[in-house]
Amino acid sequence: MRFKGSVLVVFFAGLAPLLIGSLSPYESAKRKMEMISSERAPRGSTVQLTSAELNAYIKGEIPSLVGEGAVTRPHLVLGNNSGKMTANVDFAKVQAKSGRDPGWIMSTILSGERPVVVQGRIQSAKGQATIFLDQIEVSGIPINGAALDFLMDVFIRPRFPDIKIGEPFELAHGVERVEVKPEMVNVRIAR
């Protein structure tokens, strides 16, 4: 009796949670992310990332994205299609990682850790998503308008030039939708 390739994929996809269960939350999240980004997740499947996995992944990946010590104590709290990220951010170190010299004045103003809170929501369906920022605080002060544009232009867009906030964007790697729940994020792969 011969098995078709799709039957084997489904079989091994069913075993994946058992195999991944022995990994640390960071390793588990990293494998799941790689499975999605390499488009190895079976069509029609849902990849679940728990809150613990996402927090471990964020802590593990931030240093390579923004520089060692630039962001400390990151923590993500999930809600219903929403999330709240808290962290301590040294904006001067983030700027240094981008390769752009912030200058003496900006280095003086921005150096040192500042508590940052970012709250947002996501809407996702039919291969698209939109992220909405509800609130951003730095050292307890709400940031919006020109100050928010400055932070985005200087600290976010140089690292993530394609980021879109408040407007729809296409989900990559065959992802149909992303559903956020208080305990996990479900990434649904299109059929």
Side-chain angles (χ1 to χ4, degrees):
M1 185 166 129
R2 294 176 55 183
F3 288 99
K4 293 188 177 188
S6 61
V7 173
L8 288 175
V9 168
V10 172
F11 174 74
F12 285 115
L15 286 179
L18 299 173
L19 299 172
I20 291 174
S22 63
L23 300 175
S24 73
Y26 172 74
E27 292 167 329
S28 175
K30 190 162 177 89
R31 284 201 181 174
K32 290 176 183 181
M33 295 287 200
E34 288 171 356
M35 185 172 63
I36 294 167
S37 66
S38 67
E39 299 184 12
R40 288 182 289 126
R43 292 180 143 314
S45 68
T46 299
V47 178
Q48 295 182 333
L49 293 151
T50 67
S51 178
E53 288 172 328
L54 288 168
N55 273 293
Y57 185 79
I58 290 165
K59 287 176 186 167
E61 295 296 313
I62 278 182
S64 65
L65 290 173
V66 296
E68 195 67 44
V71 175
T72 60
R73 301 180 59 203
H75 184 71
L76 175 65
V77 176
L78 301 173
N80 290 314
N81 289 318
S82 65
K84 177 181 177 180
M85 171 69 86
T86 59
N88 291 331
V89 179
D90 185 324
F91 289 100
K93 287 182 180 178
V94 172
Q95 182 70 5
K97 173 71 173 178
S98 74
R100 295 171 45 192
D101 181 13
W104 182 82
I105 292 174
M106 291 308 292
S107 291
T108 303
I109 293 170
L110 298 174
S111 66
E113 288 189 345
R114 309 256 191 272
V116 175
V117 177
V118 178
Q119 292 186 40
R121 296 171 285 121
I122 185 170
Q123 290 179 347
S124 178
K126 298 180 183 176
Q128 291 197 334
T130 307
I131 296 173
F132 301 95
L133 292 179
D134 294 327
Q135 179 180 353
I136 297 178
E137 288 182 7
V138 177
S139 298
I141 300 169
I143 304 296
N144 50 45
L148 178 57
D149 291 341
F150 171 79
L151 288 176
M152 291 294 291
D153 290 342
V154 173
F155 300 104
I156 305 300
R157 287 197 177 96
R159 300 291 294 137
F160 309 100
D162 297 328
I163 192 167
K164 293 185 181 184
I165 304 294
E167 60 182 284
F169 59 91
E170 189 173 326
L171 294 168
H173 309 296
V175 174
E176 181 182 313
R177 71 178 178 273
V178 176
E179 180 184 20
V180 181
K181 296 181 177 188
E183 64 281 350
M184 73 183 66
V185 173
N186 291 321
V187 180
R188 177 75 174 165
I189 308 301
R191 292 195 180 275

